[in-house]
Amino acid sequence: MVEFVSAQVLLSILLWAALVVYGFSSLWWIIETFVLSCGWKPDSTGAWGLDDIQVRILTIDAESVVQQTVNAIPEGLTDVRVIAEANIAIHGATVHVVPDEFTCDATNKGRAVEWARRDVDCNKEYVLYLDEDTLVTDFTGLQDADFIQFTEKPIYTGSRLTYL
């Protein structure tokens, strides 16, 4: 009986501790969001234009899908590169094939990113990595930051199941 009560007490302490940690982090987020950011405005003068960005599209060998992605890229993005595992023909982009003999600790697309980082020349301020099925819309440039993350929105392609 004593061992069972001790297990219940231990579990109770563990759950209360988790609740306190979660509650503190939530409270801190509210303080950062509403109190510490009061009066803050983004710096719009440091935006980088489309001519400062090199686009790299990662794929294995999905030629038709990559072509749709390249076709959706805004006109101002002129330096478009495709990093592929196999040789494919893409109109409007330069295709670079990751050599079979290239090795590193990364695997799959991470391996392709590492190879491109080392071997594909870039004289632009930013490199924008896209997946093979990303459709870029309403893109005018980047803010002056080290890391920028975009949110992808689902596109209805005829199937409600895949859309949801």
Side-chain angles (χ1 to χ4, degrees):
M1 179 79 180
V2 174
E3 292 175 14
F4 180 70
V5 172
S6 297
Q8 277 185 328
V9 169
L10 182 63
L11 181 62
S12 177
I13 291 171
L14 182 66
L15 290 175
W16 277 107
L19 183 64
V20 167
V21 168
Y22 177 75
F24 177 75
S25 65
S26 298
L27 179 65
W28 180 248
W29 178 82
I30 289 171
I31 291 170
E32 283 183 321
T33 304
F34 296 108
V35 178
L36 299 179
S37 67
C38 185
W40 178 83
K41 293 181 182 175
D43 182 17
S44 61
T45 61
W48 296 90
L50 298 179
D51 55 340
D52 297 314
I53 301 168
Q54 180 183 84
V55 177
R56 294 181 182 177
I57 302 168
L58 303 170
T59 185
I60 295 174
D61 63 354
E63 187 171 336
S64 63
V65 176
V66 173
Q67 188 63 61
Q68 289 177 352
T69 300
V70 170
N71 293 343
I73 291 177
E75 294 293 324
L77 291 168
T78 56
D79 192 2
V80 180
R81 311 291 178 102
V82 175
I83 313 301
E85 296 289 333
N87 195 11
I88 57 176
I90 303 296
H91 177 69
T94 305
V95 178
H96 300 275
V97 179
V98 180
D100 290 334
E101 61 272 4
F102 176 74
T103 58
C104 67
D105 291 337
T107 59
N108 303 324
K109 286 187 181 177
R111 177 178 168 271
V113 169
E114 180 61 22
W115 177 81
R117 184 188 67 82
R118 294 180 189 181
D119 295 331
V120 176
D121 291 333
C122 180
N123 59 354
K124 305 288 184 174
E125 187 67 28
Y126 280 92
V127 176
L128 176 63
Y129 283 96
L130 300 176
D131 200 18
E132 60 195 9
D133 59 351
T134 302
L135 300 178
V136 180
T137 59
D138 301 329
F139 184 66
T140 58
L142 298 171
Q143 294 298 318
D144 196 16
D146 291 332
F147 292 96
I148 299 169
Q149 181 174 351
F150 297 102
T151 302
E152 289 190 58
K153 298 175 184 172
I155 297 173
Y156 183 72
T157 57
S159 170
R160 288 192 178 144
L161 179 63
T162 58
Y163 177 74
L164 295 174

